[in-house]
Amino acid sequence: MRDIARRLILALYNIDEVYYLNEGRKKISDAELSVMYALDDSKPHSQREISQEWLVPKTTVNTIVKRWEKEGLLTQTPIQGKRREMNIMLTDAGREYAKSFMSFLYKAEDKALKKTLDKYSDEFIEVIEYFGESLKEAFEEELEAEK
C-alpha cells in the first residue's frame, strides 16, 4: 500500500514540477497560471470559486484580478443576488494574452495525452479525483484524531 501511495504522490509532484519550471520560462507566477487556466474556459468565474478550485489564496486572486482589470485583460460584472461577489471573464485582449501563453501548455498537454492514449480514460481521471477527495477526508480525520 505504501509503495502505491508513494508512486502516485511522486507522479503528481512530477506533473506539478513541469508546470512550475515552465512558469518561470514564461515569466508568470503559479497563481497567475492558475487564474489564467480557470478563466480560459470562456465561462464566468468568481474570485471565491477560483480560490477554492485552484487553491490560490483569496487575497492573491484579488491582487491578480485588480492588476489584470487595470491592464484590460478581464472584466468584472455583479452576480445577481450576491452583494459583493463578481463574475470575472477575460476580455478580447485577455483571451489573446491567454492564447499566447496557454497555447504552449495546451500543445504540450495534448502531446502528452496522445502518447498515453492507451492508458488514459475518463475512469483514470475519476480515480485520481476520487483519490484526491479521499485523501482530503483522511487528512481531516487524522487531524481530528490528533486533537
Side-chain angles (χ1 to χ4, degrees):
M1 203 63 119
R2 185 76 247 123
D3 289 342
I4 294 169
R6 184 176 178 76
R7 285 180 57 208
L8 179 57
I9 298 306
L10 285 172
L12 295 173
Y13 274 114
N14 185 37
I15 292 168
D16 285 347
E17 179 186 27
V18 170
Y19 285 95
Y20 175 76
L21 292 174
N22 284 295
E23 291 158 13
R25 291 183 190 147
K26 292 286 192 168
K27 307 293 186 233
I28 189 169
S29 73
D30 183 41
E32 288 172 315
L33 176 64
S34 295
V35 172
M36 190 179 296
Y37 222 117
L39 294 175
D40 196 35
D41 66 357
S42 299
K43 297 176 186 173
H45 299 276
S46 71
Q47 289 187 33
R48 178 187 306 198
E49 180 184 329
I50 293 170
S51 176
Q52 290 173 345
E53 287 181 5
W54 294 87
L55 304 176
V56 178
K58 288 179 196 174
T59 54
T60 304
V61 173
N62 189 26
T63 300
I64 294 167
V65 166
K66 284 181 180 179
R67 184 166 32 87
W68 286 2
E69 187 173 37
K70 280 182 187 173
E71 294 172 5
L73 299 176
L74 58 81
T75 59
Q76 296 188 78
T77 55
I79 297 175
Q80 206 168 31
K82 305 268 182 163
R83 210 175 94 227
R84 296 180 59 199
E85 246 182 294
M86 305 282 267
N87 269 328
I88 307 161
M89 288 195 70
L90 293 173
T91 61
D92 289 341
R95 281 189 291 281
E96 282 302 311
Y97 178 73
K99 182 179 177 183
S100 72
F101 182 79
M102 300 300 282
S103 64
F104 168 82
L105 290 174
Y106 294 156
K107 285 178 190 174
E109 290 169 345
D110 289 349
K111 200 178 267 189
L113 283 172
K114 284 178 187 173
K115 280 184 175 180
T116 60
L117 213 47
D118 60 326
K119 295 179 190 270
Y120 164 79
S121 68
D122 285 339
E123 184 180 322
F124 169 76
I125 300 297
E126 288 171 14
V127 168
I128 297 294
E129 289 170 340
Y130 182 75
F131 176 75
E133 289 301 315
S134 297
L135 187 60
K136 190 176 186 179
E137 288 172 15
F139 264 78
E140 289 170 6
E141 289 171 8
E142 289 301 315
L143 288 171
E144 275 300 310
E146 285 186 355
K147 286 184 181 180

